[in-house]
Amino acid sequence: REFLQAINQFATTLTEMFLSNGSFELQLWNNYFHLAVAFLTQDSLQLENFSQAKRNSILAKYGDMRATIGAAIRDMWYNLGHHKIEFIPGMVGPILEVTLVPELELRRSTIPIFFDMMLCEYQLTKSFSRFEDEILRKLDSEVEGGRGDEQYKQLFESILLSCCRGHPELAKLGENFVALVTGLLERLLDYRAVMNDENKTYSMSCTVNLL
């Protein structure tokens, strides 16, 4: 709880004193995002790794602090306004880490940040290649490290397709991007699942699909 109070105060100070053009401090905002992401993704907050009894005890006393911090990260991202472009592609990886945490409401509230990144870059350059290159690169290492699941793939696809279809200028490009990422996710998850499988033929098939 003390950390939540501190990070909320940090957010208030940033918004009130270090956001306008004349006082914007990139490093302070970077520090905020990275600190919040590190807190949210720490092992001691990953409730799914605990017994049901311990999970219930933590929820009764503190709630799921991941959802609270995730909502704060989302709100602070949108507060950035035209400064967002300064965090692309640098914040793609940290936001990906947040969205991969297996908590449904957290995922629903933070996956839309990806579309906002796409839109922000597209409005300036008529493409979102920096964002796309970074998320594909980071996704590979994150899934290889054990993160990601079928629910994530489905949420990523449904949320981003809905966002893209609401913006005609990004509809086609966005749909192609979503198809690319979900296809990669499917192959990465299949490959991870058979890494220790004794069925060598199936393992080889997954490896070929991924390549």
Side-chain angles (χ1 to χ4, degrees):
R1 289 184 183 277
E2 289 80 7
F3 179 86
L4 288 177
Q5 292 173 352
I7 198 113
N8 286 337
Q9 183 57 51
F10 190 4
T12 300
T13 302
L14 281 176
T15 303
E16 291 179 352
M17 301 180 63
F18 300 104
L19 183 58
S20 65
N21 283 335
S23 61
F24 182 71
E25 289 286 346
L26 177 64
Q27 189 57 55
L28 283 177
W29 279 84
N30 250 322
N31 290 346
Y32 169 84
F33 284 122
H34 285 278
L35 181 62
V37 170
F39 177 77
L40 189 154
T41 56
Q42 66 179 292
D43 290 343
S44 61
L45 289 188
Q46 308 317 307
L47 302 184
E48 60 280 350
N49 296 333
F50 302 146
S51 68
Q52 189 63 53
K54 184 173 182 180
R55 191 182 314 165
N56 291 341
S57 174
I58 293 172
L59 287 172
K61 190 172 183 179
Y62 302 108
D64 194 332
M65 289 187 283
R66 298 176 300 179
T68 304
I69 292 293
I73 291 171
R74 175 201 62 204
D75 293 345
M76 289 294 279
W77 171 262
Y78 288 115
N79 282 343
L80 281 169
H82 67 277
H83 294 293
K84 293 172 187 173
I85 194 63
E86 299 182 58
F87 297 86
I88 303 170
M91 277 303 298
V92 174
I95 296 298
L96 180 62
E97 287 184 58
V98 170
T99 66
L100 285 167
V101 169
E103 202 285 312
L104 180 59
E105 292 310 312
L106 173 64
R107 287 176 166 179
R108 284 177 172 163
S109 71
T110 53
I111 287 175
I113 295 174
F114 289 143
F115 176 74
D116 199 57
M117 288 178 164
M118 293 163 61
L119 184 61
C120 177
E121 185 179 351
Y122 181 83
Q123 288 175 336
L124 286 176
T125 68
K126 297 307 175 186
S127 80
F128 46 85
S129 59
R130 287 192 300 168
F131 166 79
E132 181 176 337
D133 290 346
E134 186 71 359
I135 198 170
L136 291 173
R137 186 172 67 86
K138 295 292 187 181
L139 190 64
D140 194 351
S141 60
E142 291 289 341
V143 177
E144 183 180 352
R147 300 173 186 86
D149 48 50
E150 182 65 24
Q151 181 204 69
Y152 183 81
K153 180 173 75 73
Q154 293 174 1
L155 282 173
F156 186 96
E157 182 175 33
S158 62
I159 291 172
L160 286 188
L161 279 179
S162 177
C163 290
C164 290
R165 288 168 180 166
H167 288 73
E169 73 274 24
L170 270 179
K172 186 60 178 175
L173 283 174
E175 287 182 16
N176 291 341
F177 165 74
V178 172
L180 175 65
V181 173
T182 53
L184 176 61
L185 255 175
E186 182 175 349
R187 288 161 177 78
L188 287 169
L189 291 171
D190 282 348
Y191 179 73
R192 191 178 72 192
V194 302
M195 280 295 290
N196 298 316
D197 198 302
E198 293 183 0
N199 186 334
K200 299 303 181 183
T201 302
Y202 182 50
S203 297
M204 184 62 70
S205 174
C206 288
T207 302
V208 170
N209 286 339
L210 179 58
L211 291 173

